[in-house]
Amino acid sequence: MNNIFNIQRVGWLSRWIISTDMPYYRKSAATTLAVILFILLIPTLQYFFGGDGETAGEFPATVMLFMLAAVFLLGGSYMMYSYSQRKEGLRELNLLPASNLEKFLMRYLLSFLSQLVICIGCILIADLVQYVVGWIIGRSETCFFIPLMCDILSRFDNIPGPMVWCLFTQFLWVHTFYIVGANFFRNIKFSWLFTSIVLFVLFLGGIYLLNSFVENGRQVTLYMENHTWQFSFLFLALSIFHVWLAYRLFCRRQLVGRFFNC
């Protein structure tokens, strides 16, 4: 095998991953659609069972936004090895005629993109279904939730640029942390749970460390605001380290633990 990034080999590898993970895609899509549809139907159900039905608004849409963020943070990375519930899937991956880099990138990218497509598709379908149901039962307050989500997001347009960058790097840090967890707890079915526990412990440790520099909660906020760029570059550096570590863990599970399998 040559030691360059082969696009034809990547295409063949992508088709193998999609066909192998298809049962998971179906299960994930059905579960996501059911959960989002239930959340969006809450105001309609209140109206149907005799309530005023005027609570349709920010709470269900905000919950959906949090769900969407959770899918990006968790589902897009920790499900890199959804096929690993079958032992033969692990053996097949080791024997595939592709480099470690190609295997790692395609496993991550396809898992992330599949979660993104499933989440967006389920939101669109659920929003349409809840609107049709509300229209059928005669609920006058029926509305689409997607414009409401956009309206809520537009309220954060006054956040300073450095703070937006800091929030993005924090998101990236958590996201890449779950990539490491997916590769470290590779053979464990609920790897996200163990990764979340480790992340929670690190979060508590970070809060304790910040409290050691300042005296009260207000000063902690001021300290973070005054060191926004420093925290941003720290999270960015840690994110790069996470990706490197995840790749090294991935290589250790392969037949040849080099940057490329030659």
Side-chain angles (χ1 to χ4, degrees), residues 9 22 43 49 72 89-90 101-102 151 154 163 168 212 215 241 260:
R9 197 164 57 216
M22 189 56 66
F49 288 108
F72 291 159
L90 290 172
L101 180 62
E102 292 166 344
D151 179 65
S154 66
M163 186 61 66
F168 171 76
S212 65
E215 297 179 356
F241 171 75
F260 286 105

Side-chain angles (χ1 to χ4, degrees), residues 58-73 149:
E58 298 183 0
F59 177 74
T62 303
V63 171
M64 188 165 62
L65 284 175
F66 280 116
M67 289 180 56
L68 186 61
V71 169
F72 291 159
L73 289 171
M149 291 173 55

Side-chain angles (χ1 to χ4, degrees), residues 124-136:
L124 294 174
I125 295 173
D127 200 14
L128 179 61
V129 171
Q130 69 84 23
Y131 184 86
V132 172
V133 171
W135 175 74
I136 291 176

Side-chain angles (χ1 to χ4, degrees), residues 41-189:
L41 283 176
I42 288 177
T44 303
L45 293 174
Q46 289 178 336
Y47 178 86
F48 182 77
F49 288 108
D52 53 19
E54 297 179 354
T55 58
E58 298 183 0
F59 177 74
T62 303
V63 171
M64 188 165 62
L65 284 175
F66 280 116
M67 289 180 56
L68 186 61
V71 169
F72 291 159
L73 289 171
L74 308 180
S77 54
Y78 85 85
M79 290 307 300
M80 284 181 64
Y81 306 105
S82 55
Y83 69 95
S84 62
Q85 298 177 11
R86 301 186 304 110
K87 292 183 178 180
E88 58 270 21
L90 290 172
R91 292 193 294 267
E92 290 174 5
L93 181 64
N94 287 338
L95 297 174
L96 287 178
S99 68
N100 285 341
L101 180 62
E102 292 166 344
K103 294 177 184 178
F104 177 79
L105 287 178
M106 298 316 299
R107 279 243 59 97
Y108 165 71
L109 289 176
L110 288 178
S111 62
F112 178 77
L113 292 176
S114 64
Q115 291 293 334
L116 180 63
V117 171
I118 288 173
C119 185
I120 294 177
C122 289
I123 289 176
L124 294 174
I125 295 173
D127 200 14
L128 179 61
V129 171
Q130 69 84 23
Y131 184 86
V132 172
V133 171
W135 175 74
I136 291 176
I137 66 176
R139 181 172 175 271
S140 59
E141 295 85 3
T142 298
C143 64
F144 287 106
F145 280 83
I146 293 178
L148 182 58
M149 291 173 55
C150 297
D151 179 65
I152 294 175
L153 289 175
S154 66
R155 300 178 187 181
F156 297 97
D157 58 356
N158 58 347
I159 299 179
M163 186 61 66
V164 173
W165 173 250
C166 187
L167 292 174
F168 171 76
T169 54
Q170 290 180 48
F171 163 82
L172 189 63
W173 175 73
V174 175
H175 182 75
T176 55
F177 189 86
Y178 276 95
I179 299 178
V180 176
N183 285 274
F184 186 80
F185 301 109
R186 182 166 166 176
N187 295 326
I188 301 177
K189 185 175 182 180

Side-chain angles (χ1 to χ4, degrees), residues 200-210:
F200 180 72
V201 172
L202 290 178
F203 174 77
L204 293 179
I207 295 297
Y208 177 79
L209 186 62
L210 283 175

